[in-house]
Amino acid sequence: MNSPTSPPGDATSERVPLTRQRVLAAALRLVDDEGLDALTRRRLGQELGRDAMTLYRHAPDKAALLDGIVELVLDELDIPDGGQDWQTQLARTAHDFRRLALAHPHVLGLIVTRPLATPLGLRPLGTLRPLERLLAVLTDAGFAPALALKVYRLYIGFLHGHLLTELQELVADPEETIDLLRLGLHRLPPREFPLLRSLATELATYDGAAELDQGLAVLFAGLESQLVAVTDRG
């Protein structure tokens, strides 16, 4: 059987059934390789070796393609089941989310912004499953459902913010050994940006995984106190 990843336009690709999963996988590869602007129906058709019109059955418009890509990535998110304390579960989930964000940096912006245009109940189910599973983790740990929702908002807000910040830590010249030059900070006016320029070494040695753990520790300490207070009142 021929591989679904046959070269664009290859005659063998015509004999491979076109499915929604295959269309979305090709769309994700295109976005990973070239960014969101490269994702057009015509270009995707070329990648699949098909006429662009044949894609309508699986993705009627670009919005459906974008939602499908988000679902495809979130479906890879590993949210540990029971058997561990809630802090370990959330920490492991955070690091797996970071893994996905670094593997698909162009998709992270979609994960953060796509929901802004769609009411919660109308969003693709694949984008809501992580929310449902994390709420289950928290309620199983003893958080009341309403409090679990607040905890989720704090947690996911921190996680999104951390990863968006980490992905902005771009290196201008990886061959340069002087941190100020490596990050391109020498281009900033010294009088206007003295603090930012002085932090070149700290910026150049940024450890995203370690910073994530430190932030989670602070967040969990505050949430633990709320859980203890609720338990004491009960």
Side-chain angles (χ1 to χ4, degrees):
M1 183 175 183
N2 295 308
S3 168
T5 57
S6 299
D10 192 336
T12 60
S13 66
E14 295 291 340
R15 295 195 292 270
V16 179
L18 198 61
T19 63
R20 182 174 184 270
Q21 185 75 10
R22 186 170 172 236
V23 169
L24 294 180
L28 179 58
R29 286 195 301 272
L30 185 57
V31 169
D32 284 342
D33 291 342
E34 302 182 32
L36 288 169
D37 290 342
L39 182 60
T40 65
R41 190 175 301 279
R42 176 172 295 185
R43 179 64 188 283
L44 185 56
Q46 292 173 350
E47 292 295 310
L48 291 163
R50 302 295 179 87
D51 184 273
M53 294 297 293
T54 64
L55 305 181
Y56 278 96
R57 177 182 175 185
H58 307 285
D61 52 31
K62 188 167 183 177
L65 278 176
L66 296 178
D67 285 339
I69 288 173
V70 170
E71 286 189 281
L72 200 62
V73 172
L74 289 179
D75 190 53
E76 297 181 45
L77 181 62
D78 180 24
I79 301 176
D81 294 324
Q84 305 171 68
D85 67 90
W86 64 273
Q87 295 185 32
T88 299
Q89 289 174 286
L90 293 187
R92 288 185 57 185
T93 300
H95 278 279
D96 199 59
F97 192 91
R98 177 176 180 268
R99 174 187 65 82
L100 292 175
L102 296 180
H104 309 288
H106 298 295
V107 181
L108 179 62
L110 290 178
I111 293 175
V112 174
T113 61
R114 287 294 294 166
L116 297 177
T118 310
L120 191 65
L122 300 180
R123 295 175 195 169
L125 296 183
T127 66
L128 295 176
R129 290 190 181 100
L131 167 57
E132 181 70 20
R133 292 175 64 190
L134 287 169
L135 289 175
V137 167
L138 294 166
T139 53
D140 288 348
F143 290 95
L147 182 55
L149 180 58
K150 292 180 180 179
V151 171
Y152 168 83
R153 288 170 177 158
L154 286 171
Y155 169 76
I156 210 68
F158 161 74
L159 190 54
H160 284 173
H162 170 85
L163 290 169
L164 286 172
T165 299
E166 181 174 354
L167 289 175
Q168 292 176 33
E169 301 287 339
L170 301 178
V171 174
D173 185 357
E175 302 300 322
E176 180 58 63
T177 57
I178 300 175
D179 293 333
L180 191 72
L181 302 179
R182 185 166 180 256
L183 297 176
L185 295 177
H186 62 291
R187 300 176 183 274
L188 301 180
R191 291 185 179 181
E192 190 175 354
F193 298 96
L195 291 175
L196 191 54
R197 287 170 58 101
S198 71
L199 290 169
T201 297
E202 286 73 15
L203 290 166
T205 56
Y206 180 84
D207 186 334
E211 293 281 347
L212 178 59
D213 281 331
Q214 291 176 14
L216 288 172
V218 173
L219 179 63
F220 291 163
L223 297 178
E224 179 68 25
S225 66
Q226 290 193 44
L227 182 58
V228 170
V230 170
T231 303
D232 289 344
R233 286 199 301 269

